[in-house]
Amino acid sequence: MRSEWQGDDAERPLDANGIAQAEALIWLLTRWDVREIISAPLVRCTQTVEPLSVSVGLSVQTVPLLSEWEYPEHRGETVKWLRSIGTAGTASVVCSQGDVIPDLLTRLGRDDGYDLPQPRPCKKGSLWSLTFAEDRLYAAEYFPPLPQP
């Protein structure tokens, strides 16, 4: 938990609930043809996608643009980068932080004339599936956190 962590916030790990949520994401994310896994360079972000990484046999790439400390000064660059990843018919999994995701979605929706729900839900353990046609946002679907057993 953030309020209880004493060290560098970038080194803060997932708690037990976060670990369970990361494991549950495998079930959902393996429905797509995942070809790359990309994460903000924070321990809890990389821990979120590590179970998927092991499951599909891919390494996790880290991209500082996805972090709360890099994104604010590089919003346009991050949007452009997001549009450039992936290939037709495959999936790229991207893990970022709660202060980045809503703004990134807002920019994509606004720039491409795609009506996203307001407010944009971004609960921990949830995900957004974004579909691009060429480099424009074509569809977006929100998946809330999966229920824990």
Side-chain angles (χ1 to χ4, degrees):
M1 189 176 252
R2 180 179 271 187
S3 62
E4 297 171 5
W5 181 251
Q6 298 296 317
D8 181 352
D9 192 57
E11 299 298 319
R12 182 168 46 94
L14 290 176
D15 60 17
N17 188 52
I19 292 168
Q21 288 175 328
E23 291 286 339
L25 287 173
I26 296 170
W27 177 84
L28 182 59
L29 292 171
T30 54
R31 303 304 189 244
W32 289 283
D33 184 13
V34 177
R35 297 292 176 97
E36 63 184 336
I37 303 171
I38 306 162
S39 174
L42 289 92
V43 169
R44 62 192 171 279
C45 290
T46 59
Q47 285 180 331
T48 297
V49 293
E50 280 175 355
L52 175 66
S53 170
V54 170
S55 178
V56 299
L58 295 171
S59 61
V60 177
Q61 303 167 47
T62 57
V63 173
L65 290 173
L66 298 169
S67 68
E68 290 175 352
W69 66 81
E70 286 280 330
Y71 178 75
E73 294 181 18
H74 303 280
R75 288 179 171 99
E77 183 181 345
T78 307
V79 169
K80 184 177 179 180
W81 169 83
L82 185 62
R83 292 179 190 283
S84 75
I85 64 171
T87 58
T90 66
S92 298
V93 172
V94 177
C95 184
S96 186
Q97 296 182 271
D99 287 343
V100 173
I101 298 166
D103 186 71
L104 193 52
L105 289 168
T106 297
R107 289 171 182 280
L108 287 166
R110 180 197 63 218
D111 294 351
D112 296 349
Y114 187 88
D115 189 26
L116 287 158
Q118 288 285 350
R120 301 210 191 349
C122 292
K123 292 187 176 193
K124 291 178 191 266
S126 68
L127 66 96
W128 279 91
S129 171
L130 305 178
T131 302
F132 292 87
E134 297 180 15
D135 68 345
R136 296 185 59 81
L137 183 61
Y138 178 76
E141 184 175 9
Y142 177 73
F143 293 85
L146 294 167
Q148 299 301 304

